[in-house]
Amino acid sequence: MHTVVVGTSGVTASDVIAVARGGARVELSAEAVAALAESRGIVDALAAKPEPVYGVSTGFGALATRHISPELRDRLQRNIVRSHAAGMGPRVEREVVRALMFLRLKTVCSGRTGVRPEVARTMAAVLNAGITPVVHEYGSLGCSGDLAPLSHCALALMGEGEAEGPDGGVRPAGELLAEHGIRPLELREKEGLALLNGTDGMLGMLVMALADLDLLYTSADVTAALSLEALLGTDKVLAPELHAIRPHPGQAASAANMLAVLRGSGLTGHHQDDAPRVQDAYSVRCAPQVAGAGRDTLAHARLVAERELASAVDNPVVLPDGRVESNGNFHGAPVAYVLDFLAIAVADLASITERRTDRLLDKNRSHGLPPFLADDAGVDSGLMIAQYTQAALVGELKRLAVPASADSIPSSAMQEDHVSMGWSAARKLRTAVDNLARVVAIELYAATRAVELREGLTPAPATRAVVEAVRKAGVGGPGPDRHLAPDLAAADAFVRDGRLVAAVEAVTGPLS
């Protein structure tokens, strides 16, 4: 099994994916263990002094003015975890919780949080045992970190609350820890607070969304090319020299992908035949511009994620010179903004995708294709309602594009008077990514059927490879009406697991 070693300098996106989705084992580097011990020594020294230090010998948030006596400090750390584990609603996905815990471990191992090495070892042991704390949908405002979600994870480390075992069953966390020989944590000064104060949930969801969207944007380039081909459009608009004079890198990449798919097509260039047209519609002609802008948005979001992956987010933090200082680095604004930005780009990509599908189905605009790509129009409805489904998904995506980060609800008696809503932005982006895959799958379904209906014309080699692969995957071709939902589900799986892109790349070589 793959192993990820966590040091003091952060982790990579591929590390997060490996642990969250691939079940990779986690180990602590010797450097991380040494840094943990060193910073813990600083916290222990401060705890022994009579002067109050925030997070070490005081209350938290609006209660930070109270000095906590030594005999109450362990209780304080337990209480902050118990009281903050106040989430409600459905369970969050296993991969999100694993990403959340792993990224908190990443910050702990930086040596900037002041916790004991024992805390980090226990976190790694829980991940390696496949124990996943139960975390709920609602409870984070994205400021002071993802407090409630992280608290439910910390509660499990203490042997309290519920968790999912490696077999998928939900049981008391204490039972699961005991079965795997993991001793529950007994928290000391600052450790409860250090386990809660991070942007780890929203960051983990951002990292996974970026991985998913990398595949979906390439998939959308492929389906856009198939639709252009099925509509007998022109590929001249994809020429590199046209995109070089507006040098957005994402635009050039999408145009290159489409051109690669269309190479050798006998369907393109017929726009001057029976019903001459000077230009293709915007949804066809501007596909690289729209998808390319989304690609550039992905690049910006990836930069933000990389910076956050290299960060140590906690409050207070132990600085290299030994100072323990309060700060505002737990505020989720940098991550929240790009999560919302991605939701906007996803909605627009889905919107232009649906317009191409609608064009394929409309006999007045499809340049010779049968109405709704039906076998016997009137008796058969063809793909009419598949487009309804796609339109409903796009409508939902537009609602999901409303930014969460534009909102703020004050909390903690106005001490935390401006929050990021980054967790909410991340949750809705996950839904948006799922729906984009469905929208692209419906275009794939329509475009492959339309290409097959162009009798007497030979599609591009890459297109033929896609049609062959998608039919083998259980997605039916032209013919009389049948139950469409299974076909659509098969097309969705074909897009989502990368088989669409793989079918093309077997002919074209790697796409961007």
Side-chain angles (χ1 to χ4, degrees):
M1 182 180 290
H2 179 59
T3 297
V4 173
V5 179
V6 185
T8 60
S9 57
V11 297
T12 66
S14 60
D15 291 336
V16 176
I17 299 295
V19 173
R21 291 179 168 171
R25 287 188 57 81
V26 177
E27 293 181 1
L28 312 182
S29 72
E31 177 192 25
V33 174
L36 283 159
E38 182 180 357
S39 65
R40 184 65 205 181
I42 294 169
V43 169
D44 286 340
L46 289 171
K49 292 183 177 181
E51 298 84 9
V53 177
Y54 176 68
V56 177
S57 52
T58 70
F60 311 115
L63 303 176
T65 55
R66 178 175 173 182
H67 181 251
I68 307 298
S69 57
E71 67 274 12
L72 295 176
R73 290 176 189 168
D74 290 355
R75 178 179 161 193
L76 169 68
Q77 299 302 318
R78 291 193 301 272
N79 284 350
I80 190 175
V81 173
R82 290 167 175 163
S83 65
H84 285 45
M88 294 184 73
R91 284 176 55 195
V92 171
E93 303 87 353
R94 182 176 184 271
E95 67 177 18
V96 172
V97 180
R98 285 184 62 82
L100 172 78
M101 292 180 66
F102 176 66
L103 288 168
R104 195 71 219 138
L105 176 61
K106 174 266 300 182
T107 282
V108 163
C109 286
S110 70
R112 305 275 71 85
T113 69
V115 307
R116 292 167 295 153
E118 178 185 346
V119 174
R121 291 192 183 105
T122 302
M123 296 172 77
V126 168
L127 283 166
N128 292 340
I131 298 171
T132 307
V134 170
V135 172
H136 299 279
E137 180 84 13
Y138 303 107
S140 174
L141 296 176
C143 204
S144 286
D146 291 318
L147 285 173
L150 282 162
S151 296
H152 282 277
C153 292
L155 194 68
L157 296 175
M158 292 165 48
E160 301 180 19
E162 290 188 318
E164 177 186 314
D167 62 355
V170 175
R171 296 163 52 198
E175 290 183 12
L176 288 167
L177 295 186
E179 284 183 7
H180 289 84
I182 301 171
R183 183 176 178 181
L185 277 177
E186 297 180 7
L187 300 175
R188 292 173 50 183
E189 291 96 341
K190 195 185 178 304
E191 290 179 342
L193 187 61
L195 290 174
L196 314 186
N197 245 319
T199 57
D200 309 293
M202 63 183 90
L203 176 59
M205 286 186 275
L206 172 60
V207 169
M208 289 186 285
L210 287 169
D212 294 338
L213 289 172
D214 275 343
L215 175 63
L216 287 177
Y217 266 81
T218 302
S219 301
D221 291 339
V222 172
T223 59
L226 296 181
S227 290
L228 183 152
E229 196 171 15
L231 290 166
L232 306 180
T234 176
D235 59 359
K236 290 183 178 180
V237 296
L238 304 174
E241 57 269 26
L242 292 175
H243 299 279
I245 61 175
R246 194 188 189 196
H248 294 287
Q251 176 180 323
S254 284
N257 284 346
M258 291 181 66
L259 204 55
V261 174
L262 294 170
R263 190 167 292 116
S265 174
L267 276 73
T268 58
H270 290 275
H271 59 294
Q272 297 292 335
D273 289 353
D274 297 335
R277 58 191 190 275
V278 176
Q279 300 168 326
D280 290 318
Y282 283 8
S283 60
V284 178
R285 184 169 20 129
C286 301
Q289 284 76 10
V290 173
R295 285 173 169 272
D296 291 342
T297 303
L298 285 174
H300 171 61
R302 191 171 295 108
L303 176 62
V304 172
E306 288 169 354
R307 290 170 176 166
E308 199 76 1
L309 287 168
S311 300
V313 178
D314 194 16
N315 181 47
V317 292
V318 180
L319 293 173
D321 61 8
R323 287 180 294 146
V324 176
E325 297 285 1
S326 291
N327 66 91
N329 284 341
F330 49 73
H331 200 290
V335 182
Y337 291 169
V338 294
L339 288 163
D340 279 334
F341 198 176
L342 287 173
I344 292 169
V346 163
D348 198 37
L349 180 61
S351 181
I352 196 171
T353 300
E354 182 275 333
R355 288 292 81 204
R356 290 191 296 266
T357 303
D358 181 65
R359 185 166 288 272
L360 288 167
L361 272 53
D362 183 352
K363 71 180 182 63
N364 296 311
R365 296 179 291 141
S366 66
H367 311 290
L369 291 169
F372 304 106
L373 306 180
D375 186 61
D376 184 2
V379 175
D380 295 309
S381 294
L383 305 191
M384 179 191 293
I385 307 305
Q387 185 267 330
Y388 278 39
T389 300
Q390 195 182 39
L393 289 163
V394 171
E396 177 69 9
L397 282 164
K398 291 175 181 178
R399 291 186 287 276
L400 292 168
V402 175
S405 58
D407 188 20
S408 177
I409 299 179
S411 57
S412 191
M414 293 298 288
Q415 176 70 9
E416 298 169 11
D417 60 351
H418 184 275
V419 296
S420 77
M421 295 295 185
W423 173 273
S424 300
R427 294 306 296 165
K428 69 184 182 66
L429 179 61
R430 281 182 69 82
T431 303
V433 171
D434 271 349
N435 284 350
L436 176 62
R438 297 180 179 110
V439 169
V440 171
I442 292 172
E443 182 180 28
L444 171 68
Y445 189 38
T448 51
R449 178 182 284 208
V451 165
E452 287 185 287
L453 290 170
R454 293 293 189 188
E455 295 179 359
L457 295 172
T458 304
T463 301
R464 295 198 298 273
V466 168
V467 172
E468 181 181 351
V470 82
R471 298 292 171 254
K472 286 182 179 177
V475 182
D481 280 356
R482 59 181 173 273
H483 183 194
L484 284 190
D487 276 4
L488 296 177
D492 180 36
F494 187 77
V495 169
R496 205 179 288 264
D497 64 17
R499 280 177 287 165
L500 169 60
V501 172
V504 172
E505 290 184 331
V507 176
T508 65
L511 298 176
S512 299

Coordinates of all heavy atoms in Angstrom, one line a residue, residues 269-311:
G269 N -16.7 20.7 -41.8 CA -16.5 21.5 -43.0 C -17.6 21.4 -44.0 O -17.5 21.9 -45.1
H270 N -18.8 20.8 -43.6 CA -19.9 20.7 -44.5 C -20.9 21.9 -44.2 O -22.1 21.8 -44.7 CB -20.6 19.4 -44.3 CG -19.8 18.2 -44.8 ND1 -19.9 17.8 -46.2 CD2 -18.9 17.4 -44.2 CE1 -19.0 16.8 -46.3 NE2 -18.5 16.5 -45.2
H271 N -20.5 22.9 -43.5 CA -21.4 24.0 -43.2 C -21.8 24.8 -44.4 O -22.7 25.7 -44.3 CB -20.8 24.9 -42.1 CG -19.4 25.5 -42.5 ND1 -18.3 24.7 -42.7 CD2 -19.1 26.8 -42.8 CE1 -17.3 25.5 -43.1 NE2 -17.7 26.8 -43.1
Q272 N -21.1 24.6 -45.5 CA -21.5 25.3 -46.8 C -22.2 24.4 -47.8 O -22.4 24.8 -48.9 CB -20.2 25.8 -47.4 CG -19.4 26.8 -46.6 CD -20.1 28.2 -46.4 OE1 -21.0 28.5 -47.3 NE2 -19.8 28.9 -45.4
D273 N -22.7 23.3 -47.3 CA -23.4 22.4 -48.2 C -24.8 22.8 -48.5 O -25.1 23.8 -49.1 CB -23.3 20.9 -47.7 CG -21.9 20.4 -47.8 OD1 -21.0 21.0 -48.3 OD2 -21.6 19.3 -47.2
D274 N -25.8 21.9 -48.2 CA -27.2 22.1 -48.5 C -27.8 23.4 -48.0 O -28.5 24.1 -48.6 CB -28.0 20.9 -48.1 CG -27.6 19.6 -48.8 OD1 -27.0 19.7 -49.9 OD2 -27.7 18.6 -48.2
A275 N -27.4 23.7 -46.7 CA -28.0 24.9 -46.1 C -26.8 25.8 -45.6 O -26.4 25.7 -44.5 CB -28.9 24.6 -44.9
P276 N -26.2 26.5 -46.5 CA -25.0 27.3 -46.2 C -25.1 28.2 -45.0 O -26.1 28.8 -44.8 CB -24.7 28.1 -47.5 CG -25.4 27.4 -48.5 CD -26.6 26.8 -47.9
R277 N -24.1 28.2 -44.1 CA -24.1 29.1 -43.0 C -22.7 29.6 -42.9 O -21.7 28.9 -43.0 CB -24.5 28.4 -41.7 CG -23.7 27.2 -41.3 CD -24.5 26.4 -40.2 NE -23.7 25.4 -39.5 CZ -23.6 24.2 -40.0 NH1 -24.2 23.8 -41.1 NH2 -22.9 23.3 -39.3
V278 N -22.5 30.9 -42.5 CA -21.2 31.5 -42.5 C -20.5 31.1 -41.2 O -19.3 30.8 -41.2 CB -21.4 33.1 -42.5 CG1 -20.0 33.7 -42.3 CG2 -22.0 33.5 -43.8
Q279 N -21.3 31.0 -40.1 CA -20.6 30.7 -38.8 C -21.5 29.7 -38.0 O -22.7 29.6 -38.2 CB -20.6 32.0 -38.0 CG -19.8 33.1 -38.6 CD -20.0 34.4 -37.9 OE1 -21.1 34.7 -37.3 NE2 -19.0 35.3 -37.8
D280 N -20.8 28.9 -37.2 CA -21.5 28.1 -36.2 C -22.0 28.9 -35.1 O -21.5 30.0 -34.8 CB -20.6 27.0 -35.7 CG -20.2 26.0 -36.7 OD1 -21.2 25.5 -37.5 OD2 -19.1 25.6 -36.8
A281 N -23.0 28.4 -34.4 CA -23.6 29.1 -33.2 C -22.5 29.3 -32.1 O -21.5 28.5 -32.1 CB -24.8 28.4 -32.7
Y282 N -22.7 30.2 -31.3 CA -21.8 30.5 -30.2 C -21.5 29.3 -29.3 O -20.3 29.1 -28.9 CB -22.3 31.6 -29.3 CG -22.2 33.0 -29.8 CD1 -21.8 33.3 -31.1 CD2 -22.5 34.1 -29.0 CE1 -21.8 34.6 -31.6 CE2 -22.4 35.4 -29.5 CZ -22.1 35.6 -30.8 OH -22.0 36.9 -31.3
S283 N -22.5 28.5 -29.1 CA -22.3 27.3 -28.2 C -21.3 26.3 -28.8 O -20.7 25.6 -28.1 CB -23.6 26.6 -27.9 OG -24.2 26.2 -29.1
V284 N -21.2 26.4 -30.1 CA -20.2 25.5 -30.8 C -18.9 26.3 -31.1 O -17.8 25.8 -30.7 CB -20.8 25.0 -32.2 CG1 -19.7 24.2 -32.9 CG2 -22.0 24.2 -31.9
R285 N -19.0 27.5 -31.6 CA -17.8 28.3 -32.0 C -17.0 28.8 -30.8 O -15.8 28.9 -30.9 CB -18.3 29.4 -32.9 CG -17.1 30.3 -33.4 CD -17.5 31.3 -34.5 NE -18.9 31.6 -34.5 CZ -19.4 32.9 -34.5 NH1 -18.5 33.9 -34.5 NH2 -20.6 33.2 -34.6
C286 N -17.7 29.1 -29.7 CA -17.0 29.7 -28.6 C -16.7 28.6 -27.5 O -16.4 29.0 -26.3 CB -17.9 30.8 -28.0 SG -18.2 32.1 -29.1
A287 N -16.9 27.4 -27.8 CA -16.6 26.3 -26.8 C -15.2 26.5 -26.1 O -15.1 26.4 -24.9 CB -16.8 24.9 -27.4
P288 N -14.1 26.7 -26.9 CA -12.8 26.8 -26.3 C -12.7 28.0 -25.4 O -12.0 28.0 -24.4 CB -11.9 26.9 -27.5 CG -12.6 26.4 -28.6 CD -14.0 26.8 -28.4
Q289 N -13.4 29.1 -25.7 CA -13.3 30.3 -24.9 C -14.0 30.1 -23.6 O -13.4 30.6 -22.5 CB -14.0 31.5 -25.7 CG -13.2 32.1 -26.8 CD -13.1 31.3 -28.1 OE1 -13.9 30.3 -28.2 NE2 -12.3 31.6 -29.0
V290 N -15.1 29.5 -23.5 CA -15.8 29.3 -22.3 C -15.1 28.2 -21.4 O -14.8 28.4 -20.3 CB -17.3 28.9 -22.5 CG1 -18.0 28.5 -21.2 CG2 -18.0 30.0 -23.2
A291 N -14.8 27.1 -22.0 CA -14.1 26.0 -21.3 C -12.7 26.5 -20.9 O -12.2 26.2 -19.8 CB -14.0 24.7 -22.1
G292 N -12.1 27.3 -21.8 CA -10.7 27.8 -21.4 C -10.7 28.7 -20.3 O -9.8 28.7 -19.4
A293 N -11.8 29.6 -20.2 CA -11.8 30.5 -19.0 C -12.0 29.7 -17.7 O -11.4 30.0 -16.7 CB -13.0 31.4 -19.2
G294 N -12.7 28.6 -17.8 CA -12.9 27.7 -16.7 C -11.5 27.0 -16.3 O -11.2 26.9 -15.1
R295 N -10.8 26.6 -17.3 CA -9.5 26.0 -17.1 C -8.6 27.0 -16.4 O -7.8 26.7 -15.4 CB -8.8 25.6 -18.4 CG -9.4 24.3 -19.0 CD -8.8 24.1 -20.4 NE -9.2 22.8 -20.9 CZ -8.5 21.7 -20.6 NH1 -7.3 21.7 -19.9 NH2 -8.9 20.5 -21.1
D296 N -8.6 28.3 -16.8 CA -7.8 29.3 -16.1 C -8.2 29.5 -14.7 O -7.4 29.9 -13.8 CB -7.8 30.6 -16.9 CG -7.1 30.4 -18.3 OD1 -6.3 29.5 -18.4 OD2 -7.3 31.3 -19.2
T297 N -9.5 29.4 -14.4 CA -10.0 29.5 -13.1 C -9.5 28.4 -12.2 O -9.1 28.5 -11.1 CB -11.6 29.5 -13.1 OG1 -12.0 30.6 -13.9 CG2 -12.1 29.6 -11.7
L298 N -9.5 27.2 -12.8 CA -8.9 26.0 -12.1 C -7.4 26.3 -11.8 O -7.0 25.9 -10.7 CB -9.0 24.8 -13.0 CG -10.3 24.1 -13.2 CD1 -10.2 23.0 -14.2 CD2 -10.8 23.5 -11.9
A299 N -6.7 26.9 -12.7 CA -5.3 27.2 -12.4 C -5.1 28.1 -11.2 O -4.2 28.0 -10.4 CB -4.6 27.8 -13.7
H300 N -6.0 29.1 -11.2 CA -5.9 30.1 -10.0 C -6.3 29.4 -8.7 O -5.6 29.5 -7.7 CB -6.9 31.3 -10.3 CG -7.0 32.1 -9.1 ND1 -6.0 32.8 -8.5 CD2 -8.1 32.4 -8.3 CE1 -6.4 33.5 -7.5 NE2 -7.7 33.3 -7.3
A301 N -7.3 28.6 -8.8 CA -7.7 27.8 -7.6 C -6.7 26.9 -7.1 O -6.4 26.7 -5.9 CB -9.1 27.1 -7.8
R302 N -6.0 26.3 -8.1 CA -4.9 25.3 -7.7 C -3.7 26.1 -7.0 O -3.1 25.5 -6.1 CB -4.4 24.6 -9.0 CG -3.5 23.5 -8.7 CD -3.2 22.7 -10.0 NE -4.4 22.1 -10.5 CZ -5.0 22.4 -11.6 NH1 -4.6 23.5 -12.4 NH2 -6.1 21.8 -12.0
L303 N -3.5 27.3 -7.5 CA -2.4 28.1 -6.8 C -2.8 28.4 -5.4 O -2.0 28.3 -4.4 CB -2.2 29.4 -7.6 CG -1.2 30.4 -7.0 CD1 0.2 29.8 -6.9 CD2 -1.2 31.7 -7.8
V304 N -4.0 28.8 -5.1 CA -4.5 29.0 -3.8 C -4.4 27.7 -2.9 O -4.0 27.8 -1.8 CB -6.0 29.5 -3.8 CG1 -6.5 29.6 -2.4 CG2 -6.0 30.9 -4.4
A305 N -4.8 26.6 -3.5 CA -4.8 25.3 -2.8 C -3.3 25.0 -2.4 O -3.0 24.5 -1.3 CB -5.4 24.2 -3.6
E306 N -2.4 25.2 -3.3 CA -1.0 24.9 -3.1 C -0.4 25.7 -1.9 O 0.3 25.2 -1.1 CB -0.2 25.1 -4.3 CG -0.4 24.0 -5.4 CD 0.2 24.3 -6.8 OE1 0.7 25.5 -6.9 OE2 0.1 23.5 -7.7
R307 N -0.8 27.0 -1.9 CA -0.4 27.9 -0.8 C -0.9 27.4 0.5 O -0.2 27.4 1.6 CB -0.8 29.3 -1.1 CG 0.0 29.9 -2.2 CD -0.7 31.3 -2.6 NE 0.1 32.0 -3.6 CZ -0.4 33.0 -4.3 NH1 -1.6 33.4 -4.1 NH2 0.4 33.6 -5.2
E308 N -2.2 27.0 0.5 CA -2.9 26.5 1.7 C -2.3 25.2 2.2 O -2.1 25.0 3.4 CB -4.4 26.4 1.5 CG -5.2 26.4 2.8 CD -5.3 27.8 3.4 OE1 -4.8 28.8 2.9 OE2 -6.0 27.9 4.5
L309 N -1.9 24.3 1.2 CA -1.3 23.0 1.6 C 0.0 23.2 2.3 O 0.5 22.3 3.0 CB -1.2 22.2 0.3 CG -2.5 21.6 -0.2 CD1 -2.3 21.0 -1.6 CD2 -3.1 20.5 0.7
A310 N 0.7 24.3 2.0 CA 2.0 24.6 2.6 C 1.9 25.4 3.9 O 2.9 25.8 4.5 CB 2.9 25.4 1.6
S311 N 0.6 25.7 4.3 CA 0.4 26.6 5.4 C 0.2 25.8 6.7 O -0.1 24.6 6.7 CB -0.9 27.4 5.2 OG -0.8 28.2 4.1

